[in-house]
Amino acid sequence: MDSSTRRRRAGGHGRAIVTGLAALGALGALVTAGPAARAPDPADGAAPSRAPDPSAAGGGPGTRGADIAAVPCPREALRVVRMPHVIDMTRCDPRSALVEGPDGLGAVVPADGSSVAASRLGARPGEGVRTLVVQVDLAKKLVVVSDREPGGPRETSGPAAGRGPDPVRPVAATPSPASPAPAVAPIPACRDAAYRHDGAPIPSRRRGRAVLKWWYYPGDGRVRRLSVAQQKRAFTRGVRIAVEGRNNCRLGRIAVRQVLLGHTWRAPGVISSGACGLADGRNVRGWMRFTSGETILGLTCKWFRRGKVVEGDVALNAGGVTWTTSSRRCRGNTYDAVGVAAHENLHHMGLAHVDGSAHRNLTMFPAIGACEFHWRTLGLGDFLGLKRYYGAR
């Protein structure tokens, strides 16, 4: 091999080595830099770079795909002045915190994504019923606070219904026993077919009747003018009236049965200030003392999810209210414990209030006067509302 041939081959080897080194350098740069950056994909759970979706809150706040905030909501965000009030969970997390309405009624936001409805029956003239509904939507990451029961449009049934019940209005518009005579004469109970549902009945077994299982909480045993036996009897009779649909209209009975599981020392999921606390998986009825004293007759807290009730607790006021279980012994500012217990249990079973003075003879009318006992027997509308949910027997 001559010298010129050796030089040409050496030059070729040199160019091959340089090319290989250059390729290795490019590969190293690729490994170091990683894959090229891309736009965030909503399927990854990252927030896309676009405006918030108005449908997430019916036109309100909320960003689809954003995570729930890691910081709890400040107290000012949990004090509702105007309703409906929307809390954006991507800004702060309200779960396990107490939300208070403008009238003081409150509820702890459930951490498991269920919703809660609080219904408080007042004893003072003109106070009537307070309602607070906290609806949690973990998919849209929103909490909506309102004073409307979670029912649909007004419902009536039967030819004698007359004008259907209006949606529940603010308390100031609710007639009270001390108010002047209503302009509309009340419809007789057995002819008034008005009722409203709240959209959350107690669950029914497959091919069987719905069953209400509940516990009795006696509290400290001190209730004005009621013995310990009368205290328990008020709830057992009130529950029986509600689940059986007892009436004087010859309408039969409702296809629901109830089971008293016994006594419990776990109080209802109610806060002494008159607000709903947390659910514990038990339906409890019993007596509690409220710090607001005589302003409360009873309080029902109902937790629901996807149109089915999860738990319902009922508490009657053991202090500041004079109670009776007998119409013969009713004197002065005394209230029927059996009738109030029946009304509150109907809330748990899925009935909402019927508003309007024409319907004051129904058990689901949102006001009761002293020494009034007509809540012990259901009217036509009360019965039809239960029948539509559970059937008759």
Side-chain angles (χ1 to χ4, degrees):
M1 182 184 299
D2 57 13
S3 59
S4 60
T5 302
R6 285 196 298 268
R7 284 195 299 269
R8 285 195 302 269
R9 291 186 176 181
H13 288 305
R15 286 192 298 272
I17 293 173
V18 171
T19 304
L21 290 174
L24 288 174
L27 179 61
L30 181 61
V31 173
T32 304
R38 59 182 176 86
D41 187 349
D44 295 337
S49 56
R50 58 182 175 86
D53 183 6
S55 65
T63 303
R64 182 175 296 174
D67 293 329
I68 296 177
V71 296
C73 288
R75 295 189 65 180
E76 55 268 19
L78 303 172
R79 292 175 177 171
V80 179
V81 178
R82 295 181 180 179
M83 293 189 279
H85 177 76
V86 179
I87 301 175
D88 185 356
M89 300 177 72
T90 64
R91 298 184 178 180
C92 64
D93 189 354
R95 291 176 298 176
S96 300
L98 178 65
V99 175
E100 294 182 349
D103 56 9
L105 180 59
V108 174
V109 181
D112 61 357
S114 58
S115 301
V116 58
S119 179
R120 187 176 73 193
L121 181 64
R124 288 179 177 174
E127 186 175 44
V129 169
R130 301 283 196 270
T131 301
L132 185 77
V133 181
V134 179
Q135 294 180 289
V136 182
D137 191 331
L138 293 181
K140 296 180 179 179
K141 301 177 180 63
L142 294 173
V143 174
V144 181
V145 184
S146 68
D147 58 355
R148 301 279 177 167
E149 291 170 302
R154 65 189 186 187
E155 299 174 1
T156 57
S157 179
R163 188 175 69 85
D166 298 327
V168 177
R169 299 193 301 269
V171 176
T174 302
S176 67
S179 301
V184 180
I187 303 172
C190 291
R191 294 180 55 199
D192 189 352
Y195 64 88
R196 288 184 69 241
H197 286 147
D198 70 2
I202 60 176
S204 300
R205 292 183 177 180
R206 182 177 297 179
R207 297 180 181 179
R209 289 190 291 168
V211 181
L212 174 60
K213 298 180 180 181
W214 62 285
W215 296 81
Y216 174 67
Y217 174 73
D220 60 11
R222 294 182 293 112
V223 178
R224 189 179 300 177
R225 294 190 183 177
L226 291 185
S227 66
V228 173
Q230 289 172 329
Q231 295 168 31
K232 181 179 179 180
R233 190 180 307 126
F235 277 101
T236 55
R237 292 177 63 185
V239 172
R240 189 178 302 115
I241 290 169
V243 300
E244 294 182 358
R246 293 202 170 190
N247 61 89
N248 292 331
C249 307
R250 299 181 180 179
L251 299 172
R253 292 288 185 264
I254 296 298
V256 178
R257 68 184 185 93
Q258 57 97 13
V259 177
L260 174 57
L261 298 175
H263 286 62
T264 180
W265 294 111
R266 294 165 63 178
V270 174
I271 302 175
S272 60
S273 61
C276 293
L278 294 174
D280 62 359
R282 289 186 171 193
N283 301 315
V284 180
R285 283 96 175 93
W287 298 90
M288 292 188 63
R289 296 185 179 276
F290 297 102
T291 56
S292 48
E294 75 261 13
T295 63
I296 297 177
L297 282 177
L299 176 65
T300 297
C301 297
K302 179 175 178 176
W303 294 266
F304 56 96
R305 186 186 299 113
R306 301 184 187 92
K308 295 293 183 181
V309 63
V310 177
E311 177 183 336
D313 291 355
V314 176
L316 298 190
N317 194 351
V321 178
T322 302
W323 296 96
T324 185
T325 57
S326 173
S327 59
R328 292 175 296 180
R329 290 196 292 267
C330 191
R331 299 290 185 276
N333 195 29
T334 304
Y335 292 87
D336 176 26
V338 176
V340 173
H343 173 94
E344 301 298 340
N345 276 278
L346 288 174
H347 277 300
H348 183 191
M349 296 182 66
L351 294 191
H353 293 119
V354 288
D355 198 16
S357 58
H359 308 297
R360 67 177 298 109
N361 287 326
L362 296 177
T363 305
M364 288 313 296
F365 184 74
I368 187 70
C371 292
E372 290 188 357
F373 294 86
H374 63 277
W375 276 6
R376 294 189 178 196
T377 57
L378 275 57
L380 175 60
D382 304 315
F383 184 88
L384 292 176
L386 292 175
K387 182 180 178 181
R388 180 170 175 180
Y389 267 149
Y390 308 107
R393 59 181 174 90

